[in-house]
Amino acid sequence: MMELDDCAFPLLHGMLPASDPMVAFKDTDVALLVGARPRGPGMERKDLLEANGKIFGPQGKALDKVAKRDVKVLVVGNPANTNCLIAMKNAPSLKPTQFTGMMRLDHNRATSQIASKINKKVSDVRRVTVWGNHSATQYPDLFQAEADGKKVWPMINDQAWLEGTFIPTVQKRGAAIIEARGLSSAASAANAAVDHVRDWVAGTRDGDWVSMGIPSDGSYGIAEGVIFGYPVTCKGGQYQIVKGVEVSEFSRGRINATLKELHEERDGVKHLLA
């Protein structure tokens, strides 16, 4: 809080510290659920999910009771998709569409990799999609991506780079940062959270879409029941799944793999889904 004061942000009018979610989420317009238990040595993913369920279940209950009825919730803490599902299921009076998991960091990573490959500015690259889970199974899809109104894949046309460099670089970027600095992504994750909320509230660029982890609704064959990374557009404080994106056999295999992991995570925390 002292550092935020010292930044002298012109739009920061006040702060209130809280350790009780019933206090923290009172009349909240936007809730960023950042705090999560990190994975420790020898910790299985199911143990991590169990530990985080004890965080995100109560936070969902608090949002349900005291947040504004149109609150927008972004879950940043990993494993973000399933933590988001836990929070959502513990807030039955809120709409499922008010809960989102952060895929924007993966989206930004993919955009940056594409821009570097084709020697363009990141602002020139549009229509990138990251499908599925915010994990090493996610599928960064560049087949619909464009730069200056032209598809980027014909500019690249390198399957070896796609499978051997691009996809694994995006999937494993978080681990690479941990290895390099000994800590998880910080500034890039915070920036992605700002990007996510800004677009959700203010709208996406014309002719572009972004990736958000949202409750599956059957689109693209993803049955309801998980928080899944989809391409979306935002307008008027609402998001809509982009329809008609071509999904090749190659893409479908990758999407199915990340969906399988999400189903496994969901099944592992069924007892936490109120």
Side-chain angles (χ1 to χ4, degrees):
M1 289 177 69
M2 287 188 286
E3 287 209 81
L4 288 169
D5 272 333
D6 296 347
C7 289
F9 290 125
L11 299 181
L12 179 59
H13 294 177
M15 292 177 283
L16 175 68
S19 58
D20 182 350
M22 297 293 284
V23 175
F25 295 136
K26 184 80 167 86
D27 297 327
T28 300
D29 294 289
V30 176
L32 307 179
L33 308 191
V34 179
R37 168 78 181 270
R39 190 169 182 170
M43 197 177 196
E44 297 291 334
R45 193 169 179 87
K46 62 181 175 56
D47 299 324
L48 180 65
L49 289 164
E50 182 74 27
N52 278 300
K54 295 173 183 175
I55 298 172
F56 289 87
Q59 289 189 343
K61 287 181 169 67
L63 287 162
D64 191 59
K65 286 183 169 58
V66 301
K68 284 192 176 177
R69 295 301 84 188
D70 61 352
V71 63
K72 290 176 169 57
V73 182
L74 169 61
V75 176
V76 176
N78 287 319
N81 298 56
T82 298
N83 286 342
C84 181
L85 181 67
I86 293 168
M88 181 188 81
K89 290 293 188 179
N90 280 275
S93 74
L94 299 175
K95 297 176 183 176
T97 52
Q98 291 174 247
F99 288 81
T100 61
M102 195 168 81
M103 302 294 296
R104 188 56 175 268
L105 180 53
D106 313 300
H107 179 100
N108 289 350
R109 287 166 170 164
T111 300
S112 178
Q113 293 297 316
I114 293 168
S116 177
K117 180 67 173 176
I118 62 175
N119 197 28
K120 296 282 187 180
K121 295 181 293 184
V122 290
S123 57
D124 294 333
V125 179
R126 299 187 174 210
R127 299 191 172 187
V128 174
T129 304
V130 181
W131 301 92
N133 198 6
H134 174 64
S135 76
T137 68
Q138 65 182 253
Y139 172 48
D141 181 358
L142 55 63
F143 289 111
Q144 306 304 316
E146 298 178 357
D148 299 327
K150 298 177 182 178
K151 290 283 182 70
V152 302
W153 179 241
M155 304 178 198
I156 300 169
N157 195 28
D158 184 344
Q159 193 72 20
W161 175 82
L162 174 69
E163 295 189 52
T165 300
F166 173 68
I167 292 175
T169 294
V170 177
Q171 289 177 331
K172 300 174 183 177
R173 187 66 156 194
I177 288 172
I178 290 172
E179 183 178 350
R181 68 187 293 261
L183 296 166
S184 296
S185 308
S188 57
N191 178 67
V194 171
D195 286 346
H196 178 113
V197 175
R198 182 196 60 231
D199 284 345
W200 193 358
V201 172
T204 46
R205 295 188 298 177
D206 288 342
D208 198 7
W209 64 63
V210 295
S211 305
M212 291 172 63
I214 60 174
S216 53
D217 67 351
S219 296
Y220 296 99
I222 308 303
E224 294 180 32
V226 296
I227 303 295
F228 199 84
Y230 279 106
V232 305
T233 56
C234 302
K235 186 176 182 180
Q238 305 294 324
Y239 59 77
Q240 296 287 335
I241 295 174
V242 178
K243 304 295 185 181
V245 174
E246 183 180 344
V247 177
S248 66
E249 185 177 344
F250 174 84
S251 296
R252 177 57 63 186
R254 300 274 176 163
I255 289 171
N256 287 344
T258 193
L259 177 61
K260 179 176 181 290
E261 181 183 57
L262 280 168
H263 282 162
E264 290 170 351
E265 289 186 9
R266 178 199 61 194
D267 293 344
V269 296
K270 276 186 175 178
H271 59 293
L272 300 172
L273 306 179

